[in-house]
Amino acid sequence: MKTCLIVDDSKVIRKVARHILETLEFQVEEAGDGREALDRCEAKMPDVVLLDWNMPVMSGMEFLKLLRQRGHDDQPKVVFCTTENDMAHIRAALEAGADEYVMKPFDRETLHIKLQLVGVA
């Protein structure tokens, strides 16, 4: 079973994403900020990370840069999931190592397509 770490400071978004991912047969873990997410990745690397941009403690971009710098062999796919929709944000995320980008609000079909594009669904 594929694993996904949902990183978002919104409990509502985590709950919605968890429901969708579980219907897609993912084993789901959650983190409320980038620091907690980094700790979870150090403990057990997921197959994919669904990552929010704006969070307290550590932003999604900070998390992504640190994750990619660590150079683990089992790097997860990272799908940014955010309300930031201008090209500068999208370009910055992809340059920092994100694999895909999905806009909030999202639905099951959209998320499933993005996960297929990165090769985990």
Side-chain angles (χ1 to χ4, degrees):
M1 182 176 273
K2 296 280 187 183
T3 58
C4 181
L5 176 62
I6 302 166
V7 186
D8 201 301
D9 57 326
S10 166
K11 288 181 182 178
V12 173
I13 295 293
R14 290 197 312 264
K15 183 177 180 176
V16 169
R18 172 183 283 276
H19 174 73
I20 291 170
L21 288 159
E22 287 176 345
T23 68
L24 295 172
E25 299 187 7
F26 277 84
Q27 181 180 343
V28 179
E29 295 287 326
E30 297 179 20
D33 61 64
R35 169 58 46 209
E36 184 183 349
L38 212 50
D39 292 343
R40 288 189 178 273
C41 286
E42 289 299 323
K44 184 177 187 303
M45 200 64 77
D47 295 305
V48 63
V49 176
L50 192 61
L51 182 62
D52 185 26
W53 191 292
N54 299 305
M55 295 178 289
V57 184
M58 180 188 290
S59 74
M61 281 297 281
E62 292 171 299
F63 163 81
L64 179 59
K65 289 175 182 177
L66 286 171
L67 179 71
R68 294 305 192 218
Q69 285 172 3
R70 294 187 178 192
H72 293 284
D73 290 338
D74 55 349
Q75 285 279 319
K77 297 294 183 180
V78 175
V79 178
F80 253 111
C81 179
T82 182
T83 57
E84 301 291 350
N85 64 356
D86 61 90
M87 284 307 297
H89 278 94
I90 295 169
R91 191 176 307 110
L94 296 173
E95 288 173 359
D99 297 285
E100 258 304 337
Y101 204 94
V102 65
M103 296 304 302
K104 291 178 185 175
F106 54 87
D107 58 19
R108 184 183 188 278
E109 182 180 349
T110 303
L111 189 55
H112 190 208
I113 288 168
K114 294 295 184 175
L115 293 171
Q116 287 174 323
L117 287 172
V118 300
V120 296

